[in-house]
Amino acid sequence: MKKHDVIIACDFPTGQDALDFLSQFKEEKPFVKIGMELFYGEGPDIVKAIKDRGHNIFLDLKLHDIPNTVNKAMRNLARLGVDMTNVHAAGTIDMMRAALEGLAEGADSERALLIAVTQLTSTSQERMQRELLIQAPINDTIVQYARNAKEAGLDGVVCSPLEAGMVKEACGTDFVTVTPGVRFADGAKGDQVRVTTPARAAEIGTDYIVVGRPITEAADPVGAYRRCVKEFMMQ
């Protein structure tokens, strides 16, 4: 698994939609994110079906519960053989440690990378303070959540590309950053707030970018994917 890659967010309502989409890729085997919509609709079978086609998989379920529950859930997810999965950093260091232990115990061989979500890219400073009553600046919160994830032994975090540099500075260059909120310069932001381009994400130093609608809803998805790879890898 490369440590510098574009991950396509396959947020489709059915497994057949996802498989039909991926069938367009004849030469490449892109890294794929399976999120809640697809996993809850199709279950573990869609993971196996996509894995059997040769794709690396980021299973994006953002577990957030008491440590014991997350530990047991991760033991089950480990058996799916995905390459990366995640929890919410807001679940505390104890929960993240329990998740890591469960993931390691359930793995048949090498465990998946485990990363923690800091703040969703749809969250703004104003919403965080007004709705969540978190009064610290959003960047300080994200960096502290990243430090907590590192203390728990996790491999990295999910953050917006705008914060990837700060996370690397606080947690070290080997601490993985996975960044959604990436859009082409000539594209729409959609419902995400903290966004940037593939090229700028690479300049900031993120390891993986997660790109959904700019690729999946493009008139030419393969061409959009190749453009994204080119812009991200050229730095």
Side-chain angles (χ1 to χ4, degrees):
M1 187 171 70
K2 294 184 292 185
K3 197 191 169 182
H4 194 68
D5 208 351
V6 174
I7 303 174
I8 301 179
C10 284
D11 297 323
F12 294 103
T14 72
Q16 193 58 56
D17 289 335
L19 294 173
D20 289 345
F21 170 79
L22 292 172
S23 292
Q24 300 174 80
F25 293 84
K26 306 299 183 184
E27 299 178 15
E28 301 93 344
K29 292 292 182 184
F31 203 138
V32 170
K33 180 180 81 72
I34 297 176
M36 295 179 189
E37 179 182 14
L38 187 55
F39 188 80
Y40 293 160
E42 299 291 337
D45 288 348
I46 191 60
V47 175
K48 183 177 187 302
I50 293 176
K51 196 70 176 164
D52 285 348
R53 292 190 177 196
H55 298 273
N56 287 327
I57 293 177
F58 167 25
L59 185 59
D60 177 26
L61 300 182
K62 304 180 181 73
L63 300 191
H64 187 175
D65 211 310
I66 63 172
N68 184 59
T69 297
V70 171
N71 175 278
K72 292 178 178 178
M74 277 295 176
R75 289 187 194 182
N76 285 330
L77 293 182
R79 300 188 185 107
L80 300 180
V82 299
D83 303 278
M84 181 187 295
T85 191
N86 61 359
V87 296
H88 264 293
T92 74
I93 293 172
D94 283 349
M95 189 209 75
M96 289 188 280
R97 281 181 177 148
L100 185 63
E101 289 168 3
L103 191 62
E105 290 165 1
D108 291 331
S109 54
E110 184 177 358
R111 70 162 176 83
L113 291 179
L114 182 59
I115 58 178
V117 177
T118 53
Q119 287 290 339
L120 301 175
T121 52
S122 59
T123 300
S124 65
Q125 175 83 46
E126 187 272 335
R127 285 175 179 165
M128 191 183 76
Q129 294 183 340
R130 176 171 56 85
E131 298 176 20
L132 305 180
L133 300 183
I134 299 174
Q135 298 306 313
I138 192 168
N139 288 347
D140 292 353
T141 302
I142 288 164
V143 169
Q144 182 59 40
Y145 281 9
R147 289 192 177 111
N148 290 347
K150 184 173 183 180
E151 183 176 339
L154 271 61
D155 301 292
V157 293
V158 180
C159 61
S160 97
L162 303 179
E163 293 104 36
M166 291 180 285
V167 168
K168 293 283 190 181
E169 184 175 350
C171 298
T173 57
D174 290 337
F175 195 66
V176 173
T177 53
V178 179
T179 56
V182 174
R183 295 288 185 265
F184 294 122
D186 53 358
K189 285 186 178 181
D191 57 357
Q192 304 203 52
V193 176
R194 306 189 323 278
V195 302
T196 193
T197 64
R200 181 59 185 144
E203 289 174 1
I204 294 169
T206 195
D207 299 295
Y208 299 92
I209 57 173
V210 180
V211 185
R213 286 165 285 185
I215 294 175
T216 60
E217 296 182 3
D220 176 11
V222 175
Y225 170 73
R226 289 173 178 169
R227 174 188 173 186
C228 194
V229 170
K230 182 178 179 181
E231 292 185 11
F232 184 54
M233 300 299 189
M234 67 186 294
Q235 300 301 320

